[in-house]
Amino acid sequence: MSFTVENLEKNMAKLTIEVPADEFEKALQKAYEKQKGKITLNGFRKGKAPRAMIEKIYGAGIFYEDAANIVIPDAYEKAADECEIDIVSQPEIDVTQVEKGKDFIFTATVAVKPEVTLGKYLGVEVEKTETKVLAADVNAELDRIREQNARIVDVTDRAVKSGDQTVIDFEGFIDGVAFDGGKGENYPLTIGSHSFIDTFEDQIIGANIGDEIEVNVTFPEDYQADNLAGKPAMFKVTVKSIKEKELPAANDDFAKDVSEFDTLAEYKADLKKTLTEKKKDEAAKIKKAKAVEKVVENATMDIPEPMVKSQVQSMVTEMAQRLQMQGVSLEQYMQYMGTEPQQFMMSLRPEALLRIKNSLVLDAVVEAEKITVSDADFEEELNKMASMYSMEVDKIKEMIGEDETEQIKKDIAIQKAADLIASKAVEVAPAKEEKDAE
């Protein structure tokens, strides 16, 4: 096998790969062995017809396609490994010569990793994220915890109000006729959840247990049932029960119940400390993201379209795997979202492009700053992985091969580059909004 490389415009390259005639002949014989059982010729038992006879009857090219599919993957992989270009897309294959007794020749057009020209990447300015925790923040967190510890109690002495958990019977009518699927008994409905259409829940507010009321609504134009879409309906509703959340009082007793502290003041002080740490962590992540974004904006690169397509396809595969773990197929997800495959893939392009730019720029920073990954860095990352997956480090080491090791080290280097950019970034106060002139 031999090959040549031709550099094309816009970070594309063409590999012309030649497979010797004798190797292609072996592939033709393999193709014949694979297909002969499916071919019947008069005078021969099925699967026993000689190759020469089959080629004479059906033409010399009958096995060319199968033979090409046999030789192309290995020949391309070998050429891709040996050529001195960094390929970043799947190849577009084109057969240019296929003839018995001659070398098999094909081309593989691929995208090449673009060169990145870095602009300013150390000391970029980013807007500072506020980390101060206000009393309102602490009170909101306290209320959230009170909600988690709330009791659900029966209500018998008042009418339904927003936030109540009710149980209702209902039956729906259109033009005085009950419709399929419009009836329910002992149905649990939280008022204000917006799980029912239009103003259905709002109209139950004010009703008492045992009341039978009429609720008038209009189905949305895009409602899933075509026979109901856009039509006005009347529901007869009976309120069977009312329950509400009863929040515990925010006092010292509550603090003792939910924490290690004896007083509410101490508990709130601890909540403030926790919220402050959380805000600082979030601010650090935001700072890093903004700094890298600025560095990407300052850089220039020409990204070939096949590279974007490959990234989109990788994202589609990732999503399909995640959905499969949840028991949902990608096709079902797209149907639920009301999108076609082409639309779905187009929607992923902006994120794919962003991922590519970030990766290319951070790679360039790694090279510019001569960032290296030590054995200690690698071991630390393996320890994190072991903790994440609840496995022994030695087991992780047994599972990763040479390629995985190199990828982990590359990821560590990229993360170091992002950390460096963030550490050197200069935080500036947010720009004040200019008031409209009176």
Side-chain angles (χ1 to χ4, degrees), residues 37-71:
K38 303 175 184 177
I39 299 174
T40 301
L41 290 183
N42 291 333
F44 297 95
R45 285 179 297 162
K46 190 173 184 179
K48 297 298 182 180
R51 176 182 152 193
M53 185 67 71
I54 294 172
E55 290 176 334
K56 183 176 182 180
I57 298 297
Y58 291 102
I62 184 172
F63 299 118
Y64 284 175
E65 183 175 351
D66 285 342
N69 289 334
I70 291 171
V71 299

Side-chain angles (χ1 to χ4, degrees), residues 159-207:
V160 175
K161 67 179 183 179
S162 182
D164 282 345
Q165 298 178 11
T166 65
V167 173
I168 62 172
D169 290 344
F170 63 88
E171 185 172 15
F173 300 83
I174 292 180
D175 296 330
V177 179
F179 57 86
D180 290 340
K183 185 175 183 179
E185 294 182 352
N186 297 319
Y187 190 93
L189 176 63
T190 298
I191 307 302
S193 64
H194 304 295
S195 55
F196 270 40
I197 64 167
D198 203 9
T199 60
F200 187 101
E201 295 166 31
D202 295 338
Q203 295 178 59
I204 298 176
I205 293 174

Side-chain angles (χ1 to χ4, degrees), residues 21 61 64 98 108 111 139 145 155 173 194 206 256 260 271 288 320 334 362 376 380 397 399 435:
Y64 284 175
V98 54
N139 289 332
I145 297 168
V155 174
F173 300 83
H194 304 295
K256 290 175 184 178
E260 60 188 33
L271 287 179
K288 183 188 292 187
M334 286 191 289
L362 290 174
E380 182 181 352
K397 289 180 178 179
M399 294 174 63
K435 293 183 178 180

